[in-house]
């Protein structure tokens, strides 16, 4: 294990790729490695890029990599796929668009699976962020699956959260209203040459102005930018805005170590406990056969699923029926 930790910290690409694969596959032995790697984390700047499918997130990430490499910054990229990291689909597109960076030793690109998790990030993705952080990457870009208003988890692990939209989204803007407006640090209208760009800008501005009281207290007010990522237009200004947000974080929190922010730690620990409990409970119930017996009882109409759930879980956690 110590050898794995040393190789990761020294930046060994094969060891990192193998470790992230084991994390994604849920291998239990990786927990001990992650424990040893944790003291080496907290140095990377994490940027979350989210938005509906088709808004050009991957193209934007590709250009962001290019800009960061021009500044001699090392970059890790985690592209979250809604189905499987080897299923093709969106990830195949990601790989094609980012392939010009694949031979660059300063860039590490990896696909992750959501495993049906509809919050944008899974615990495995958070662990992969830690691995790339410990590896020594200056910036980590997390491109999350676009699932609309539920996609708010990324803010728990990112310093800067970017919401990407395109002109003419219509209901897409309504979805932002309903869910992810509050987590956006920067709004980027991509494909801004399309009709409706100005209206989209106005809609976003009105939404942000509705929360004006929060910004009157000195909070960060999300800027709205326009870009055509495919032509690298507006990306330099966008990167400058990310840097401005980083400076704002430093001024507000006295640094960029989000692990020292109590709310962040509470949320991450809560999610970790949920994942760990689920893993242990399901494992135990499967081994004893109780889970399958409960399924059969429900399908036979002998018991309702609520009672079955209580019967299975409460004894494990040491609670009795209410």
């Amino acid at each position: 294990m110590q050898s794995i930790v040393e190789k990761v910290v020294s930046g060994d690409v094969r060891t990192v790729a193998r470790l992230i694969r084991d994390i994604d596959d849920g291998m239990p032995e990786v927990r001990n490695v992650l424990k040893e790697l944790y003291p080496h984390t907290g140095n990377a700047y994490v940027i979350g890029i989210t938005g509906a499918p088709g808004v050009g997130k991957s193209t934007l990430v590709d250009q962001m990599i290019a800009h960061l490499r021009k500044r001699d910054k090392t970059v890790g990229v985690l592209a979250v796929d809604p189905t499987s990291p080897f299923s093709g689909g969106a990830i195949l597109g990601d790989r094609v668009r980012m392939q010009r960076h694949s031979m660059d030793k300063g860039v590490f690109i990896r696909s992750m699976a959501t495993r049906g998790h509809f919050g944008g990030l899974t615990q495995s993705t958070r662990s992969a962020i830690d691995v790339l952080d410990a590896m020594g990457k200056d910036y980590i870009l997390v491109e999350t699956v676009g699932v609309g208003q539920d996609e708010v988890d990324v803010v728990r692990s990112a310093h800067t959260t970017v919401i990407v939209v395109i002109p003419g989204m219509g209901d897409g803007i309504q979805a932002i209203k309903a869910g992810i407006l509050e987590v956006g640090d920067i709004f980027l209208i991509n494909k801004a040459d399309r009709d409706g760009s100005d209206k989209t800008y106005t809609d976003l501005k009105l939404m942000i102005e509705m929360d004006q009281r929060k910004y009157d207290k000195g909070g960060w007010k999300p800027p709205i930018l326009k870009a055509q990522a495919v032509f690298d237009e507006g990306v330099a200004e966008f990167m400058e805005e990310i840097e401005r947000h980083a400076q704002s974080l430093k001024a507000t929190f006295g640094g960029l170590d989000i692990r020292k922010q109590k709310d962040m730690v509470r949320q991450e620990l809560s999610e970790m406990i949920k994942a760990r409990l689920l893993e242990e409970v399901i494992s135990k119930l499967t081994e004893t056969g109780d889970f399958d017996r409960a399924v059969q009882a429900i399908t036979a109409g002998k018991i309702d699923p609520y009672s079955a759930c209580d019967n299975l879980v409460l004894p494990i956690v040491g609670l009795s029926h209410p």
Side-chain angles (χ1 to χ4, degrees):
M1 184 180 71
Q2 194 57 40
S3 171
I4 294 173
V5 172
E6 289 172 359
K7 286 182 178 178
V8 170
V9 173
S10 67
D12 185 80
V13 172
R14 287 187 179 182
T15 303
V16 169
R18 193 158 47 240
L19 179 57
I20 292 179
R21 181 197 63 201
D22 289 346
I23 289 170
D24 212 18
D25 289 341
M27 304 296 283
E29 57 268 23
V30 301
R31 292 184 67 86
N32 290 327
V33 178
L34 291 170
K35 290 175 185 177
E36 295 297 321
L37 283 176
Y38 190 82
H40 300 280
T41 64
N43 301 307
Y45 195 87
V46 184
I47 303 171
I49 298 97
T50 184
V55 297
K57 297 188 296 290
S58 301
T59 304
L60 176 65
V61 169
D62 175 67
Q63 298 290 8
M64 291 172 71
I65 296 170
H67 280 261
L68 290 169
R69 292 302 289 144
K70 285 176 186 175
R71 290 165 46 193
D72 249 359
K73 301 296 183 181
T74 56
V75 186
V77 179
L78 294 173
V80 183
D81 172 29
T83 49
S84 161
F86 306 108
S87 66
I91 292 305
L92 178 61
D94 295 340
R95 287 287 173 85
V96 168
R97 281 186 282 271
M98 298 178 196
Q99 68 178 350
R100 62 173 171 150
H101 304 293
S102 61
M103 300 305 292
D104 185 344
K105 292 182 179 179
V107 179
F108 182 95
I109 301 172
R110 171 73 196 198
S111 307
M112 300 290 291
T114 61
R115 308 292 186 197
H117 182 93
F118 291 102
L121 291 185
T122 58
Q123 184 56 51
S124 60
T125 307
R126 292 192 182 94
S127 297
I129 291 173
D130 284 346
V131 172
L132 295 184
D133 192 349
M135 185 189 188
K137 294 303 180 189
D138 298 316
Y139 284 82
I140 300 172
L141 311 182
V142 185
E143 179 195 332
T144 66
V145 52
V147 293
Q149 65 200 55
D150 293 325
E151 193 169 51
V152 297
D153 280 4
V154 65
V155 74
R156 296 174 185 169
S157 299
H159 293 91
T160 299
T161 302
V162 180
I163 311 294
V164 185
V165 301
I166 54 173
M169 279 186 68
D171 290 342
I173 298 294
Q174 299 302 317
I176 291 174
K177 276 186 188 176
I180 57 177
L181 172 63
E182 290 187 0
V183 307
D185 297 308
I186 298 173
F187 287 87
L188 183 73
I189 302 171
N190 192 27
K191 307 180 184 181
D193 56 322
R194 292 186 177 183
D195 290 341
S197 175
D198 290 340
K199 184 181 185 307
T200 302
Y201 181 92
T202 303
D203 288 346
L204 287 172
K205 188 174 181 181
L206 284 171
M207 287 162 48
I208 293 171
E209 296 296 340
M210 287 170 63
D211 215 8
Q212 184 61 44
R213 280 180 297 180
K214 182 170 73 175
Y215 310 124
D216 288 340
K217 298 174 184 176
W220 169 264
K221 186 173 183 178
I224 306 166
L225 304 174
K226 292 184 179 182
Q228 293 184 61
V230 70
F231 301 119
D232 196 22
E233 293 181 9
V235 179
E237 293 79 5
F238 166 64
M239 297 302 292
E240 288 173 9
E241 208 61 47
I242 290 176
E243 182 59 32
R244 197 167 73 85
H245 183 241
Q247 296 304 319
S248 174
L249 288 178
K250 286 179 183 176
T252 304
F253 299 107
L256 292 174
D257 191 353
I258 55 177
R259 296 179 181 282
K260 291 180 180 175
Q261 296 176 30
K262 193 173 289 185
D263 288 344
M264 292 283 192
V265 173
R266 182 180 286 111
Q267 288 174 340
E268 185 163 1
L269 182 58
S270 174
E271 290 298 321
M272 200 173 285
I273 290 171
K274 287 179 192 175
R276 184 68 169 154
L277 282 173
L278 179 63
E279 178 186 317
E280 293 297 329
V281 169
I282 292 294
S283 175
K284 186 170 183 177
L285 293 175
T286 304
E287 285 176 10
T288 60
D290 289 345
F291 184 81
D292 289 332
R293 281 191 288 273
V295 170
Q296 290 170 3
I298 294 168
T299 53
K302 296 178 179 178
I303 193 172
D304 64 90
Y306 303 98
S307 299
C309 177
D310 287 344
N311 293 341
L312 291 172
V313 175
L314 294 182
I316 292 177
V317 296
L319 297 174
S320 57
H321 284 272

